[in-house]
Amino acid sequence: MKKKTKRIAILGVLAAVALVLSYLEAILPPIYAAVPGVKVGLPNVVVILILYRFGAKEAAMVSFMRVFIVALLFGNAMTLAYSVAGAILSLLLMMLFKKLDLFSAVGVSIIGGIAHNVGQIIVAMLLLNSTLIAYYMIILTITGTLAGVAVGLAGSLLIKRLEKISI
């Protein structure tokens, strides 16, 4: 019972950290102003950590909780639609590739970064009723890869540093 309570408390703290990182990312100036919507995905450092230290179910739970709370606090229905689509595709592929054990956390993070962008482009194509937006994937694949590397390296560092802590 005590161990389960400790897990829930740690997941709660990590969810709060993910929310703070979301807020921080929202108030930071754009990384590359010429390409709207490009972000590093700082909260995904927490998702990678949870995926590797706790498991897929916990990572999905914290990720979706964060997406919904952030949309309520800082967004609207449209940002929720884009974020949910990106989160679903990203999580599914990260869970799959982690389970297949083909890549390190950095590789899994890169897959997640690109998949998140694909999910958002699919929503944009459906809402705008246009496939032309798919050309944006060229830029988003590059930025998703770079963001995935940064998030994966930070997540790997945390995973390694927190290895000795029993959860």
Side-chain angles (χ1 to χ4, degrees), residues 7 11 14 44-60 91 93-112 151-160 162-163 165 167:
R7 270 176 81 85
L11 285 169
L14 290 173
N44 293 320
V45 172
V46 175
V47 175
I48 288 287
L49 172 64
I50 294 171
L51 181 62
Y52 278 84
R53 286 292 306 204
F54 290 88
K57 182 178 78 173
E58 291 84 352
L91 278 166
L93 288 176
M94 287 193 306
M95 288 174 194
L96 172 66
F97 280 91
K98 180 191 177 284
K99 188 172 186 163
L100 292 174
D101 202 27
L102 296 173
F103 301 103
S104 68
V106 175
V108 169
S109 178
I110 292 168
I111 290 164
V151 166
L153 289 172
S156 293
L157 180 66
L158 279 173
I159 292 164
K160 207 173 255 337
L162 299 175
E163 257 176 357
I165 297 173
I167 298 172

Side-chain angles (χ1 to χ4, degrees), residues 81-82 84-87 89-90 114-124 137:
Y82 286 107
V84 167
L89 194 54
S90 175
I114 294 169
H116 185 87
N117 292 334
V118 170
Q120 291 185 325
I121 289 295
I122 290 169
V123 169
M137 271 312 299

